[in-house]
Amino acid sequence: MTQPVLPPLSPAPATSTSFIDVTAKLSLLLGVLSVLWSVFQLLLAALLRRFDLSAWMQQQEIPFPAALHWAAQHALSLSFLLLGTSLAFVAVSWGLLRRREWGRTGFIVFLVLVALANFAFLPLIQELFNGLYTIVPAEFLDSPQLRFSQWSALLTAGISAVAFAILHGWLVVKLRRPEIRRQFH
């Protein structure tokens, strides 16, 4: 008895092609979610603009940290900045999916900037705790829980920054390989 002849398998997509597709689609999803979050944050900042948080905290005799005061004063501008950045990331991710050279280059720039920003924001964690120390009652200032929270936040953020730097570095190296670059125009 002869065995039936099976139809030829369709060729599997090249790994570099599927790498770009998966990376671009995940980035598009994250970018769209970031745009939605930015719009929500923008609406919230516009609504809260009528509410003077620093005056309310002073009325309640709660110290208002300088960094929080600055963020509250610039909430609308920061929200617009986040929305613009999110829209730019969506555009770059779309360009990456469409195999445009500007999309690949822009995506690499975003990867590097985000990796650097993760390290740049580490000192802000300490500032957050310094501001928290002005709000927290004195009996809690030397509590082991507060100190543990501070160190675990710094350690977690530091490990995350290193992990994302490694991941982003790997993506940058991969996106600069000749077999990947040949697919872009």
Side-chain angles (χ1 to χ4, degrees):
M1 180 163 180
T2 62
Q3 292 208 337
V5 176
L6 297 173
L9 294 174
S10 59
T15 38
S16 62
T17 301
S18 60
F19 164 75
I20 295 168
D21 288 341
V22 169
T23 302
K25 287 175 183 176
L26 283 174
S27 298
L28 269 172
L29 176 65
L30 290 175
V32 168
L33 290 174
S34 183
V35 167
L36 292 174
W37 174 257
S38 300
V39 169
F40 172 73
Q41 183 176 317
L42 191 60
L43 292 172
L44 191 62
L47 288 173
L48 290 178
R49 192 171 188 158
R50 300 177 208 281
F51 177 68
D52 188 5
L53 183 62
S54 62
W56 179 81
M57 287 184 77
Q58 287 174 352
Q59 198 175 43
Q60 303 300 316
E61 297 180 1
I62 300 172
F64 197 61
L68 186 59
H69 182 69
W70 183 88
Q73 282 183 323
H74 297 90
L76 203 57
S77 300
L78 291 170
S79 298
F80 272 118
L81 178 66
L82 181 61
L83 178 61
T85 305
S86 299
L87 288 170
F89 185 69
V90 167
V92 162
S93 297
W94 182 255
L96 185 70
L97 184 64
R98 293 305 202 189
R99 306 297 197 275
R100 304 286 186 241
E101 181 59 28
W102 59 264
R104 187 186 71 81
T105 305
F107 195 78
I108 289 171
V109 168
F110 264 101
L111 289 171
V112 171
L113 290 177
V114 168
L116 292 174
N118 285 335
F119 288 104
F121 285 122
L122 286 176
L124 293 180
I125 294 172
Q126 184 59 46
E127 282 300 312
L128 173 73
F129 275 94
N130 289 344
L132 187 62
Y133 291 144
T134 63
I135 297 172
V136 173
E139 59 269 10
F140 292 117
L141 286 178
D142 288 326
S143 70
Q145 292 87 359
L146 190 61
R147 296 287 176 207
F148 177 77
S149 296
Q150 177 182 0
W151 284 107
S152 62
L154 285 168
L155 187 63
T156 303
I159 290 170
S160 297
V162 170
F164 275 103
I166 291 169
L167 174 65
H168 288 195
W170 176 78
L171 286 168
V172 167
V173 168
K174 187 115 170 134
L175 285 168
R176 292 181 50 91
R177 289 196 171 151
E179 65 270 13
I180 299 285
R181 293 176 77 182
R182 278 193 294 270
Q183 297 180 41
F184 288 86
H185 53 278

